[in-house]
PDB file of all heavy atoms in Angstrom:
ATOM      1  N   SER A   1       0.837  -1.200  -0.003  1.00 98.00           N
ATOM      2  CA  SER A   1       0.004  -0.008  -0.003  1.00 98.00           C
ATOM      3  C   SER A   1       0.869   1.252  -0.001  1.00 98.00           C
ATOM      4  O   SER A   1       1.989   1.260   0.531  1.00 98.00           O
ATOM      5  CB  SER A   1      -0.919   0.007   1.234  1.00 98.00           C
ATOM      6  OG  SER A   1      -0.175  -0.140   2.422  1.00 98.00           O
ATOM      7  N   TYR A   2       0.330   2.304  -0.613  1.00 98.00           N
ATOM      8  CA  TYR A   2       1.059   3.574  -0.732  1.00 98.00           C
ATOM      9  C   TYR A   2       0.058   4.718  -0.620  1.00 98.00           C
ATOM     10  O   TYR A   2      -1.016   4.696  -1.244  1.00 98.00           O
ATOM     11  CB  TYR A   2       1.757   3.647  -2.092  1.00 98.00           C
ATOM     12  CG  TYR A   2       2.316   5.020  -2.429  1.00 98.00           C
ATOM     13  CD1 TYR A   2       3.377   5.563  -1.711  1.00 98.00           C
ATOM     14  CD2 TYR A   2       1.757   5.776  -3.468  1.00 98.00           C
ATOM     15  CE1 TYR A   2       3.884   6.823  -2.028  1.00 98.00           C
ATOM     16  CE2 TYR A   2       2.267   7.028  -3.777  1.00 98.00           C
ATOM     17  CZ  TYR A   2       3.323   7.554  -3.052  1.00 98.00           C
ATOM     18  OH  TYR A   2       3.812   8.800  -3.349  1.00 98.00           O
ATOM     19  N   ALA A   3       0.398   5.717   0.175  1.00 98.00           N
ATOM     20  CA  ALA A   3      -0.437   6.916   0.299  1.00 98.00           C
ATOM     21  C   ALA A   3       0.328   8.114  -0.178  1.00 98.00           C
ATOM     22  O   ALA A   3       1.507   8.298   0.167  1.00 98.00           O
ATOM     23  CB  ALA A   3      -0.887   7.084   1.734  1.00 98.00           C
ATOM     24  N   HIS A   4      -0.337   8.952  -0.949  1.00 98.00           N
ATOM     25  CA  HIS A   4       0.279  10.166  -1.502  1.00 98.00           C
ATOM     26  C   HIS A   4      -0.478  11.373  -0.990  1.00 98.00           C
ATOM     27  O   HIS A   4      -1.631  11.637  -1.416  1.00 98.00           O
ATOM     28  CB  HIS A   4       0.236  10.129  -3.029  1.00 98.00           C
ATOM     29  CG  HIS A   4       1.024  11.228  -3.671  1.00 98.00           C
ATOM     30  ND1 HIS A   4       2.311  11.057  -4.121  1.00 98.00           N
ATOM     31  CD2 HIS A   4       0.705  12.526  -3.946  1.00 98.00           C
ATOM     32  CE1 HIS A   4       2.771  12.171  -4.620  1.00 98.00           C
ATOM     33  NE2 HIS A   4       1.808  13.095  -4.532  1.00 98.00           N
ATOM     34  N   ILE A   5       0.135  12.096  -0.062  1.00 98.00           N
ATOM     35  CA  ILE A   5      -0.507  13.265   0.543  1.00 98.00           C
ATOM     36  C   ILE A   5       0.248  14.500   0.082  1.00 98.00           C
ATOM     37  O   ILE A   5       1.334  14.824   0.568  1.00 98.00           O
ATOM     38  CB  ILE A   5      -0.502  13.155   2.069  1.00 98.00           C
ATOM     39  CG1 ILE A   5      -1.164  11.858   2.517  1.00 98.00           C
ATOM     40  CG2 ILE A   5      -1.206  14.378   2.667  1.00 98.00           C
ATOM     41  CD1 ILE A   5      -2.607  11.681   2.046  1.00 98.00           C
ATOM     42  N   SER A   6      -0.340  15.199  -0.864  1.00 96.00           N
ATOM     43  CA  SER A   6       0.301  16.392  -1.421  1.00 96.00           C
ATOM     44  C   SER A   6      -0.089  17.617  -0.610  1.00 96.00           C
ATOM     45  O   SER A   6      -0.369  17.526   0.586  1.00 96.00           O
ATOM     46  CB  SER A   6      -0.089  16.529  -2.882  1.00 96.00           C
ATOM     47  OG  SER A   6       0.627  17.554  -3.511  1.00 96.00           O
ATOM     48  N   ASP A   7      -0.125  18.767  -1.221  1.00 97.00           N
ATOM     49  CA  ASP A   7      -0.284  20.049  -0.540  1.00 97.00           C
ATOM     50  C   ASP A   7      -1.442  20.070   0.468  1.00 97.00           C
ATOM     51  O   ASP A   7      -2.603  19.929   0.074  1.00 97.00           O
ATOM     52  CB  ASP A   7      -0.481  21.167  -1.553  1.00 97.00           C
ATOM     53  CG  ASP A   7       0.651  21.246  -2.565  1.00 97.00           C
ATOM     54  OD1 ASP A   7       1.341  20.229  -2.771  1.00 97.00           O
ATOM     55  OD2 ASP A   7       0.851  22.327  -3.140  1.00 97.00           O
ATOM     56  N   THR A   8      -1.120  20.280   1.723  1.00 98.00           N
ATOM     57  CA  THR A   8      -2.151  20.331   2.751  1.00 98.00           C
ATOM     58  C   THR A   8      -1.613  20.905   4.050  1.00 98.00           C
ATOM     59  O   THR A   8      -0.426  20.771   4.360  1.00 98.00           O
ATOM     60  CB  THR A   8      -2.732  18.933   3.041  1.00 98.00           C
ATOM     61  OG1 THR A   8      -3.831  19.058   3.983  1.00 98.00           O
ATOM     62  CG2 THR A   8      -1.684  18.000   3.639  1.00 98.00           C
ATOM     63  N   LYS A   9      -2.478  21.557   4.786  1.00 97.00           N
ATOM     64  CA  LYS A   9      -2.186  21.898   6.178  1.00 97.00           C
ATOM     65  C   LYS A   9      -2.120  20.587   6.966  1.00 97.00           C
ATOM     66  O   LYS A   9      -2.619  19.548   6.551  1.00 97.00           O
ATOM     67  CB  LYS A   9      -3.285  22.759   6.787  1.00 97.00           C
ATOM     68  CG  LYS A   9      -3.481  24.126   6.164  1.00 97.00           C
ATOM     69  CD  LYS A   9      -4.632  24.842   6.890  1.00 97.00           C
ATOM     70  CE  LYS A   9      -4.953  26.181   6.237  1.00 97.00           C
ATOM     71  NZ  LYS A   9      -6.089  26.845   6.937  1.00 97.00           N
ATOM     72  N   TYR A  10      -1.491  20.666   8.142  1.00 97.00           N
ATOM     73  CA  TYR A  10      -1.496  19.513   9.030  1.00 97.00           C
ATOM     74  C   TYR A  10      -2.911  19.212   9.487  1.00 97.00           C
ATOM     75  O   TYR A  10      -3.638  20.100   9.932  1.00 97.00           O
ATOM     76  CB  TYR A  10      -0.593  19.757  10.240  1.00 97.00           C
ATOM     77  CG  TYR A  10      -0.731  18.706  11.308  1.00 97.00           C
ATOM     78  CD1 TYR A  10      -0.313  17.386  11.073  1.00 97.00           C
ATOM     79  CD2 TYR A  10      -1.289  19.017  12.558  1.00 97.00           C
ATOM     80  CE1 TYR A  10      -0.450  16.422  12.059  1.00 97.00           C
ATOM     81  CE2 TYR A  10      -1.426  18.052  13.530  1.00 97.00           C
ATOM     82  CZ  TYR A  10      -1.006  16.761  13.293  1.00 97.00           C
ATOM     83  OH  TYR A  10      -1.140  15.778  14.250  1.00 97.00           O
ATOM     84  N   ILE A  11      -3.313  17.949   9.353  1.00 96.00           N
ATOM     85  CA  ILE A  11      -4.640  17.496   9.766  1.00 96.00           C
ATOM     86  C   ILE A  11      -4.449  16.341  10.733  1.00 96.00           C
ATOM     87  O   ILE A  11      -3.996  15.258  10.333  1.00 96.00           O
ATOM     88  CB  ILE A  11      -5.509  17.033   8.569  1.00 96.00           C
ATOM     89  CG1 ILE A  11      -5.565  18.121   7.486  1.00 96.00           C
ATOM     90  CG2 ILE A  11      -6.895  16.656   9.024  1.00 96.00           C
ATOM     91  CD1 ILE A  11      -6.248  17.664   6.191  1.00 96.00           C
ATOM     92  N   SER A  12      -4.787  16.534  11.995  1.00 93.00           N
ATOM     93  CA  SER A  12      -4.548  15.494  13.004  1.00 93.00           C
ATOM     94  C   SER A  12      -5.352  14.239  12.737  1.00 93.00           C
ATOM     95  O   SER A  12      -4.924  13.126  13.053  1.00 93.00           O
ATOM     96  CB  SER A  12      -4.861  16.022  14.402  1.00 93.00           C
ATOM     97  OG  SER A  12      -6.219  16.431  14.475  1.00 93.00           O
ATOM     98  N   SER A  13      -6.531  14.368  12.119  1.00 96.00           N
ATOM     99  CA  SER A  13      -7.396  13.223  11.863  1.00 96.00           C
ATOM    100  C   SER A  13      -7.054  12.493  10.562  1.00 96.00           C
ATOM    101  O   SER A  13      -7.681  11.472  10.244  1.00 96.00           O
ATOM    102  CB  SER A  13      -8.864  13.677  11.801  1.00 96.00           C
ATOM    103  OG  SER A  13      -9.052  14.622  10.749  1.00 96.00           O
ATOM    104  N   LEU A  14      -6.082  13.027   9.805  1.00 97.00           N
ATOM    105  CA  LEU A  14      -5.751  12.434   8.520  1.00 97.00           C
ATOM    106  C   LEU A  14      -5.157  11.030   8.671  1.00 97.00           C
ATOM    107  O   LEU A  14      -5.418  10.156   7.847  1.00 97.00           O
ATOM    108  CB  LEU A  14      -4.763  13.350   7.783  1.00 97.00           C
ATOM    109  CG  LEU A  14      -4.344  12.917   6.364  1.00 97.00           C
ATOM    110  CD1 LEU A  14      -5.559  12.817   5.451  1.00 97.00           C
ATOM    111  CD2 LEU A  14      -3.323  13.919   5.793  1.00 97.00           C
ATOM    112  N   ALA A  15      -4.372  10.817   9.717  1.00 98.00           N
ATOM    113  CA  ALA A  15      -3.709   9.525   9.906  1.00 98.00           C
ATOM    114  C   ALA A  15      -4.706   8.374   9.937  1.00 98.00           C
ATOM    115  O   ALA A  15      -4.492   7.326   9.324  1.00 98.00           O
ATOM    116  CB  ALA A  15      -2.888   9.563  11.199  1.00 98.00           C
ATOM    117  N   GLU A  16      -5.791   8.583  10.624  1.00 97.00           N
ATOM    118  CA  GLU A  16      -6.810   7.540  10.737  1.00 97.00           C
ATOM    119  C   GLU A  16      -7.435   7.229   9.373  1.00 97.00           C
ATOM    120  O   GLU A  16      -7.768   6.072   9.083  1.00 97.00           O
ATOM    121  CB  GLU A  16      -7.902   7.971  11.730  1.00 97.00           C
ATOM    122  CG  GLU A  16      -8.988   6.927  11.963  1.00 97.00           C
ATOM    123  CD  GLU A  16     -10.021   7.374  12.961  1.00 97.00           C
ATOM    124  OE1 GLU A  16      -9.788   8.429  13.610  1.00 97.00           O
ATOM    125  OE2 GLU A  16     -11.048   6.715  13.094  1.00 97.00           O
ATOM    126  N   LYS A  17      -7.596   8.256   8.547  1.00 97.00           N
ATOM    127  CA  LYS A  17      -8.198   8.046   7.215  1.00 97.00           C
ATOM    128  C   LYS A  17      -7.224   7.328   6.286  1.00 97.00           C
ATOM    129  O   LYS A  17      -7.657   6.598   5.402  1.00 97.00           O
ATOM    130  CB  LYS A  17      -8.603   9.398   6.643  1.00 97.00           C
ATOM    131  CG  LYS A  17      -9.673  10.111   7.456  1.00 97.00           C
ATOM    132  CD  LYS A  17      -9.969  11.497   6.889  1.00 97.00           C
ATOM    133  CE  LYS A  17     -11.011  12.207   7.759  1.00 97.00           C
ATOM    134  NZ  LYS A  17     -11.296  13.571   7.248  1.00 97.00           N
ATOM    135  N   ILE A  18      -5.943   7.591   6.460  1.00 98.00           N
ATOM    136  CA  ILE A  18      -4.940   6.903   5.615  1.00 98.00           C
ATOM    137  C   ILE A  18      -4.810   5.450   6.032  1.00 98.00           C
ATOM    138  O   ILE A  18      -4.869   4.528   5.222  1.00 98.00           O
ATOM    139  CB  ILE A  18      -3.565   7.598   5.732  1.00 98.00           C
ATOM    140  CG1 ILE A  18      -3.649   9.026   5.197  1.00 98.00           C
ATOM    141  CG2 ILE A  18      -2.498   6.819   4.995  1.00 98.00           C
ATOM    142  CD1 ILE A  18      -2.415   9.850   5.492  1.00 98.00           C
ATOM    143  N   GLY A  19      -4.605   5.225   7.329  1.00 96.00           N
ATOM    144  CA  GLY A  19      -4.412   3.881   7.858  1.00 96.00           C
ATOM    145  C   GLY A  19      -2.984   3.409   7.618  1.00 96.00           C
ATOM    146  O   GLY A  19      -2.168   4.086   6.980  1.00 96.00           O
ATOM    147  N   PRO A  20      -2.642   2.230   8.129  1.00 97.00           N
ATOM    148  CA  PRO A  20      -1.277   1.684   7.955  1.00 97.00           C
ATOM    149  C   PRO A  20      -0.944   1.473   6.470  1.00 97.00           C
ATOM    150  O   PRO A  20      -1.720   0.863   5.730  1.00 97.00           O
ATOM    151  CB  PRO A  20      -1.346   0.332   8.693  1.00 97.00           C
ATOM    152  CG  PRO A  20      -2.509   0.453   9.611  1.00 97.00           C
ATOM    153  CD  PRO A  20      -3.493   1.335   8.905  1.00 97.00           C
ATOM    154  N   VAL A  21       0.172   2.006   6.035  1.00 98.00           N
ATOM    155  CA  VAL A  21       0.613   1.842   4.664  1.00 98.00           C
ATOM    156  C   VAL A  21       2.098   1.505   4.660  1.00 98.00           C
ATOM    157  O   VAL A  21       2.823   1.826   5.613  1.00 98.00           O
ATOM    158  CB  VAL A  21       0.370   3.099   3.801  1.00 98.00           C
ATOM    159  CG1 VAL A  21      -1.109   3.304   3.526  1.00 98.00           C
ATOM    160  CG2 VAL A  21       0.961   4.340   4.471  1.00 98.00           C
ATOM    161  N   ASP A  22       2.556   0.858   3.605  1.00 98.00           N
ATOM    162  CA  ASP A  22       3.970   0.516   3.504  1.00 98.00           C
ATOM    163  C   ASP A  22       4.836   1.762   3.267  1.00 98.00           C
ATOM    164  O   ASP A  22       5.935   1.854   3.769  1.00 98.00           O
ATOM    165  CB  ASP A  22       4.189  -0.491   2.355  1.00 98.00           C
ATOM    166  CG  ASP A  22       3.605  -1.844   2.683  1.00 98.00           C
ATOM    167  OD1 ASP A  22       4.197  -2.560   3.497  1.00 98.00           O
ATOM    168  OD2 ASP A  22       2.541  -2.179   2.125  1.00 98.00           O
ATOM    169  N   LEU A  23       4.286   2.710   2.497  1.00 98.00           N
ATOM    170  CA  LEU A  23       5.026   3.931   2.212  1.00 98.00           C
ATOM    171  C   LEU A  23       4.063   5.110   2.186  1.00 98.00           C
ATOM    172  O   LEU A  23       3.003   5.016   1.537  1.00 98.00           O
ATOM    173  CB  LEU A  23       5.757   3.821   0.871  1.00 98.00           C
ATOM    174  CG  LEU A  23       6.571   5.055   0.425  1.00 98.00           C
ATOM    175  CD1 LEU A  23       7.736   5.296   1.380  1.00 98.00           C
ATOM    176  CD2 LEU A  23       7.080   4.864  -1.005  1.00 98.00           C
ATOM    177  N   LEU A  24       4.414   6.153   2.884  1.00 98.00           N
ATOM    178  CA  LEU A  24       3.623   7.381   2.904  1.00 98.00           C
ATOM    179  C   LEU A  24       4.451   8.525   2.353  1.00 98.00           C
ATOM    180  O   LEU A  24       5.508   8.848   2.897  1.00 98.00           O
ATOM    181  CB  LEU A  24       3.158   7.717   4.323  1.00 98.00           C
ATOM    182  CG  LEU A  24       2.589   9.145   4.548  1.00 98.00           C
ATOM    183  CD1 LEU A  24       1.294   9.340   3.763  1.00 98.00           C
ATOM    184  CD2 LEU A  24       2.371   9.400   6.044  1.00 98.00           C
ATOM    185  N   PHE A  25       3.984   9.130   1.254  1.00 98.00           N
ATOM    186  CA  PHE A  25       4.536  10.436   0.843  1.00 98.00           C
ATOM    187  C   PHE A  25       3.663  11.501   1.452  1.00 98.00           C
ATOM    188  O   PHE A  25       2.441  11.517   1.231  1.00 98.00           O
ATOM    189  CB  PHE A  25       4.541  10.599  -0.678  1.00 98.00           C
ATOM    190  CG  PHE A  25       4.840  12.015  -1.097  1.00 98.00           C
ATOM    191  CD1 PHE A  25       6.147  12.476  -1.127  1.00 98.00           C
ATOM    192  CD2 PHE A  25       3.813  12.907  -1.392  1.00 98.00           C
ATOM    193  CE1 PHE A  25       6.420  13.809  -1.451  1.00 98.00           C
ATOM    194  CE2 PHE A  25       4.078  14.218  -1.725  1.00 98.00           C
ATOM    195  CZ  PHE A  25       5.381  14.671  -1.767  1.00 98.00           C
ATOM    196  N   HIS A  26       4.268  12.363   2.231  1.00 98.00           N
ATOM    197  CA  HIS A  26       3.538  13.499   2.812  1.00 98.00           C
ATOM    198  C   HIS A  26       4.377  14.744   2.572  1.00 98.00           C
ATOM    199  O   HIS A  26       5.558  14.781   2.892  1.00 98.00           O
ATOM    200  CB  HIS A  26       3.328  13.288   4.313  1.00 98.00           C
ATOM    201  CG  HIS A  26       2.346  14.260   4.916  1.00 98.00           C
ATOM    202  ND1 HIS A  26       2.569  15.624   4.949  1.00 98.00           N
ATOM    203  CD2 HIS A  26       1.161  14.054   5.521  1.00 98.00           C
ATOM    204  CE1 HIS A  26       1.549  16.209   5.550  1.00 98.00           C
ATOM    205  NE2 HIS A  26       0.676  15.297   5.906  1.00 98.00           N
ATOM    206  N   GLU A  27       3.775  15.754   1.998  1.00 98.00           N
ATOM    207  CA  GLU A  27       4.509  16.981   1.707  1.00 98.00           C
ATOM    208  C   GLU A  27       5.206  17.526   2.950  1.00 98.00           C
ATOM    209  O   GLU A  27       4.658  17.470   4.061  1.00 98.00           O
ATOM    210  CB  GLU A  27       3.554  18.026   1.125  1.00 98.00           C
ATOM    211  CG  GLU A  27       2.547  18.592   2.121  1.00 98.00           C
ATOM    212  CD  GLU A  27       2.680  20.127   2.248  1.00 98.00           C
ATOM    213  OE1 GLU A  27       3.665  20.553   2.864  1.00 98.00           O
ATOM    214  OE2 GLU A  27       1.792  20.822   1.748  1.00 98.00           O
ATOM    215  N   THR A  28       6.416  18.056   2.754  1.00 98.00           N
ATOM    216  CA  THR A  28       7.180  18.684   3.827  1.00 98.00           C
ATOM    217  C   THR A  28       7.717  20.008   3.288  1.00 98.00           C
ATOM    218  O   THR A  28       8.918  20.172   3.044  1.00 98.00           O
ATOM    219  CB  THR A  28       8.344  17.782   4.271  1.00 98.00           C
ATOM    220  OG1 THR A  28       9.126  17.409   3.112  1.00 98.00           O
ATOM    221  CG2 THR A  28       7.842  16.518   4.911  1.00 98.00           C
ATOM    222  N   THR A  29       6.823  20.939   3.062  1.00 97.00           N
ATOM    223  CA  THR A  29       7.212  22.197   2.445  1.00 97.00           C
ATOM    224  C   THR A  29       8.106  23.042   3.352  1.00 97.00           C
ATOM    225  O   THR A  29       9.032  23.702   2.898  1.00 97.00           O
ATOM    226  CB  THR A  29       5.951  23.017   2.059  1.00 97.00           C
ATOM    227  OG1 THR A  29       5.134  22.218   1.202  1.00 97.00           O
ATOM    228  CG2 THR A  29       6.328  24.294   1.320  1.00 97.00           C
ATOM    229  N   TYR A  30       7.808  23.007   4.651  1.00 98.00           N
ATOM    230  CA  TYR A  30       8.531  23.864   5.599  1.00 98.00           C
ATOM    231  C   TYR A  30       9.150  23.043   6.725  1.00 98.00           C
ATOM    232  O   TYR A  30       8.741  21.905   7.004  1.00 98.00           O
ATOM    233  CB  TYR A  30       7.588  24.905   6.210  1.00 98.00           C
ATOM    234  CG  TYR A  30       7.081  25.929   5.240  1.00 98.00           C
ATOM    235  CD1 TYR A  30       5.833  25.810   4.639  1.00 98.00           C
ATOM    236  CD2 TYR A  30       7.856  27.044   4.914  1.00 98.00           C
ATOM    237  CE1 TYR A  30       5.365  26.760   3.724  1.00 98.00           C
ATOM    238  CE2 TYR A  30       7.400  27.996   4.009  1.00 98.00           C
ATOM    239  CZ  TYR A  30       6.148  27.831   3.425  1.00 98.00           C
ATOM    240  OH  TYR A  30       5.699  28.784   2.534  1.00 98.00           O
ATOM    241  N   LEU A  31      10.113  23.660   7.388  1.00 98.00           N
ATOM    242  CA  LEU A  31      10.631  23.138   8.637  1.00 98.00           C
ATOM    243  C   LEU A  31       9.843  23.770   9.786  1.00 98.00           C
ATOM    244  O   LEU A  31       9.169  24.775   9.620  1.00 98.00           O
ATOM    245  CB  LEU A  31      12.125  23.468   8.779  1.00 98.00           C
ATOM    246  CG  LEU A  31      13.063  22.788   7.753  1.00 98.00           C
ATOM    247  CD1 LEU A  31      14.473  23.339   7.891  1.00 98.00           C
ATOM    248  CD2 LEU A  31      13.052  21.261   7.970  1.00 98.00           C
ATOM    249  N   GLU A  32       9.953  23.170  10.934  1.00 96.00           N
ATOM    250  CA  GLU A  32       9.174  23.610  12.092  1.00 96.00           C
ATOM    251  C   GLU A  32       9.449  25.066  12.477  1.00 96.00           C
ATOM    252  O   GLU A  32       8.558  25.758  12.988  1.00 96.00           O
ATOM    253  CB  GLU A  32       9.451  22.681  13.264  1.00 96.00           C
ATOM    254  CG  GLU A  32       8.456  22.788  14.410  1.00 96.00           C
ATOM    255  CD  GLU A  32       7.055  22.280  14.081  1.00 96.00           C
ATOM    256  OE1 GLU A  32       6.888  21.637  13.013  1.00 96.00           O
ATOM    257  OE2 GLU A  32       6.133  22.544  14.869  1.00 96.00           O
ATOM    258  N   GLU A  33      10.637  25.549  12.206  1.00 96.00           N
ATOM    259  CA  GLU A  33      10.957  26.950  12.548  1.00 96.00           C
ATOM    260  C   GLU A  33      10.113  27.935  11.758  1.00 96.00           C
ATOM    261  O   GLU A  33       9.988  29.099  12.175  1.00 96.00           O
ATOM    262  CB  GLU A  33      12.450  27.210  12.312  1.00 96.00           C
ATOM    263  CG  GLU A  33      12.880  27.075  10.868  1.00 96.00           C
ATOM    264  CD  GLU A  33      14.368  27.359  10.675  1.00 96.00           C
ATOM    265  OE1 GLU A  33      14.779  28.506  10.946  1.00 96.00           O
ATOM    266  OE2 GLU A  33      15.079  26.435  10.280  1.00 96.00           O
ATOM    267  N   HIS A  34       9.536  27.491  10.647  1.00 95.00           N
ATOM    268  CA  HIS A  34       8.667  28.357   9.851  1.00 95.00           C
ATOM    269  C   HIS A  34       7.222  27.844   9.879  1.00 95.00           C
ATOM    270  O   HIS A  34       6.459  28.045   8.938  1.00 95.00           O
ATOM    271  CB  HIS A  34       9.177  28.408   8.407  1.00 95.00           C
ATOM    272  CG  HIS A  34      10.554  29.003   8.290  1.00 95.00           C
ATOM    273  ND1 HIS A  34      11.627  28.279   7.834  1.00 95.00           N
ATOM    274  CD2 HIS A  34      11.019  30.252   8.600  1.00 95.00           C
ATOM    275  CE1 HIS A  34      12.701  29.059   7.854  1.00 95.00           C
ATOM    276  NE2 HIS A  34      12.367  30.257   8.306  1.00 95.00           N
ATOM    277  N   LYS A  35       6.868  27.225  10.967  1.00 95.00           N
ATOM    278  CA  LYS A  35       5.522  26.674  11.125  1.00 95.00           C
ATOM    279  C   LYS A  35       4.457  27.724  10.933  1.00 95.00           C
ATOM    280  O   LYS A  35       3.368  27.446  10.408  1.00 95.00           O
ATOM    281  CB  LYS A  35       5.403  26.032  12.511  1.00 95.00           C
ATOM    282  CG  LYS A  35       4.059  25.407  12.820  1.00 95.00           C
ATOM    283  CD  LYS A  35       4.048  24.792  14.214  1.00 95.00           C
ATOM    284  CE  LYS A  35       2.680  24.220  14.555  1.00 95.00           C
ATOM    285  NZ  LYS A  35       2.698  23.628  15.947  1.00 95.00           N
ATOM    286  N   SER A  36       4.713  28.942  11.360  1.00 95.00           N
ATOM    287  CA  SER A  36       3.718  30.031  11.254  1.00 95.00           C
ATOM    288  C   SER A  36       3.392  30.368   9.817  1.00 95.00           C
ATOM    289  O   SER A  36       2.333  30.940   9.514  1.00 95.00           O
ATOM    290  CB  SER A  36       4.216  31.285  11.971  1.00 95.00           C
ATOM    291  OG  SER A  36       5.414  31.748  11.372  1.00 95.00           O
ATOM    292  N   MET A  37       4.260  29.985   8.878  1.00 95.00           N
ATOM    293  CA  MET A  37       4.041  30.232   7.459  1.00 95.00           C
ATOM    294  C   MET A  37       3.304  29.091   6.803  1.00 95.00           C
ATOM    295  O   MET A  37       2.657  29.270   5.766  1.00 95.00           O
ATOM    296  CB  MET A  37       5.373  30.447   6.745  1.00 95.00           C
ATOM    297  CG  MET A  37       6.191  31.621   7.260  1.00 95.00           C
ATOM    298  SD  MET A  37       7.823  31.695   6.499  1.00 95.00           S
ATOM    299  CE  MET A  37       7.385  31.868   4.753  1.00 95.00           C
ATOM    300  N   ALA A  38       3.419  27.906   7.386  1.00 96.00           N
ATOM    301  CA  ALA A  38       2.888  26.713   6.749  1.00 96.00           C
ATOM    302  C   ALA A  38       1.364  26.708   6.624  1.00 96.00           C
ATOM    303  O   ALA A  38       0.806  26.588   5.544  1.00 96.00           O
ATOM    304  CB  ALA A  38       3.357  25.471   7.510  1.00 96.00           C
ATOM    305  N   ALA A  39       0.674  26.805   7.771  1.00 94.00           N
ATOM    306  CA  ALA A  39      -0.779  26.695   7.758  1.00 94.00           C
ATOM    307  C   ALA A  39      -1.468  27.742   6.888  1.00 94.00           C
ATOM    308  O   ALA A  39      -2.356  27.408   6.093  1.00 94.00           O
ATOM    309  CB  ALA A  39      -1.322  26.755   9.200  1.00 94.00           C
TER     310      ALA A  39
END
């Protein structure tokens, strides 16, 4: 199984909707130091 999560704000409930997968691509546009810019 593979999940592809492109451009999105962090969604805490998303993990449950994806479920266990062998590989997850999740966008990582920013580092935590620029968290205020991400959302």
